Amino acid sequence: MRPRDGDVPARGYPAPVTVHEEIDFDGEDRYGEELADETYRNCLFRRVDFTEASTRRVVFEDCTFLDVRFNASAHTDSAFLRCTFKGVNLFDAVFDGCKLTGSKFVRGELRPIRVNGGDWSFVALPGADLRECSFTGVRMREIDFTGTRLEKAVVTGCDLSGAMLHSSDLTGADLRDSDLTALDPLTVKLKNATISGAQAVVIAEALGLRVR
């Protein structure tokens, strides 16, 4: 379908120069490509190589990424809204101020990604391997971390209110300044995790203890 100029983008993002809709991108080599001010809607990316590529103010809405390589890619102020990632490789990818609300990840290599700011609310990452990954100042309301491996991960200053953390492994993780009100200490692994004094009170109260 032909790109259309002047379409209304996702709220909070500028009008894109180019809009792509319902296009299948199969096996394309986009190594090191720089994308900016574009929108992709209902597109399928299959076996596309985005290694060392960068996006800035790019919006992906309801797109599917199948066996796509994002190795060492960098994304700034971009949005992946309600997208599906299956078998993707995000080795050493960086997300700065990006929005991934409602997206889900199935299989794939996701570590070690670095996420700075942005909104990852309602993202589904059940059973994902996020060991030693970094999430700093990220809004992660109602994120699904069920059974997720977060050993030695950095999850600092994050809004985890309503997060699903059952059976997640937070061994050795740095959780300082994150909202842990949704955490049930009886259903997660917390050995050697780093928390603040205020967070210790929250966890103690979750265990039914009285803090005075």
Side-chain angles (χ1 to χ4, degrees):
M1 183 176 291
R2 235 170 145 182
R4 299 202 307 261
D5 293 331
D7 285 53
V8 178
R11 182 175 296 178
Y13 289 82
V17 174
T18 305
V19 176
H20 312 270
E21 290 191 275
E22 299 180 358
I23 301 175
D24 288 357
F25 300 92
D26 194 345
E28 294 189 8
D29 183 359
R30 305 181 80 165
Y31 184 99
E33 188 169 316
E34 297 179 4
L35 288 75
D37 301 311
E38 297 182 50
T39 286
Y40 295 82
R41 294 192 185 117
N42 297 298
C43 292
L44 171 63
F45 296 84
R46 183 190 291 109
R47 296 185 296 275
V48 176
D49 186 1
F50 280 118
T51 300
E52 295 191 20
S54 65
T55 67
R56 184 177 293 274
R57 298 180 304 274
V58 176
V59 178
F60 299 91
E61 294 183 55
D62 301 298
C63 293
T64 297
F65 299 89
L66 181 62
D67 298 324
V68 171
R69 282 178 287 178
F70 285 106
N71 311 51
S73 60
H75 309 275
T76 305
D77 298 328
S78 292
F80 298 81
L81 308 175
R82 303 173 303 279
C83 292
T84 299
F85 298 83
K86 290 184 178 181
V88 299
N89 192 321
L90 285 166
F91 175 79
D92 209 27
V94 179
F95 295 85
D96 283 312
C98 293
K99 196 172 190 177
L100 276 82
T101 50
S103 291
K104 61 181 179 181
F105 292 79
V106 182
R107 298 180 289 104
E109 176 62 57
L110 307 180
R111 56 187 295 260
I113 60 172
R114 286 170 288 159
V115 182
N116 306 305
D119 192 343
W120 284 51
S121 298
F122 308 102
V123 170
L125 283 157
D129 186 351
L130 296 173
R131 289 173 294 162
E132 300 180 347
C133 291
S134 174
F135 298 87
T136 305
V138 187
R139 191 177 191 222
M140 306 169 88
R141 292 185 177 182
E142 298 190 44
I143 193 168
D144 188 354
F145 274 152
T146 305
T148 301
R149 299 191 63 181
L150 288 156
E151 298 103 305
K152 296 184 179 179
V154 174
V155 188
T156 55
C158 294
D159 182 357
L160 288 166
S161 55
M164 289 169 272
L165 295 162
H166 186 82
S167 298
S168 61
D169 192 341
L170 297 162
T171 302
D174 186 348
L175 306 173
R176 286 175 294 179
D177 299 320
S178 289
D179 184 335
L180 300 181
T181 54
L183 186 148
D184 182 348
L186 296 177
T187 66
V188 302
K189 294 180 181 179
L190 281 170
K191 185 178 180 180
N192 294 326
T194 302
I195 58 175
S196 66
Q199 289 171 312
V201 172
V202 171
I203 292 174
E205 290 176 343
L207 288 168
L209 302 176
R210 285 193 251 175
V211 180
R212 295 181 178 177

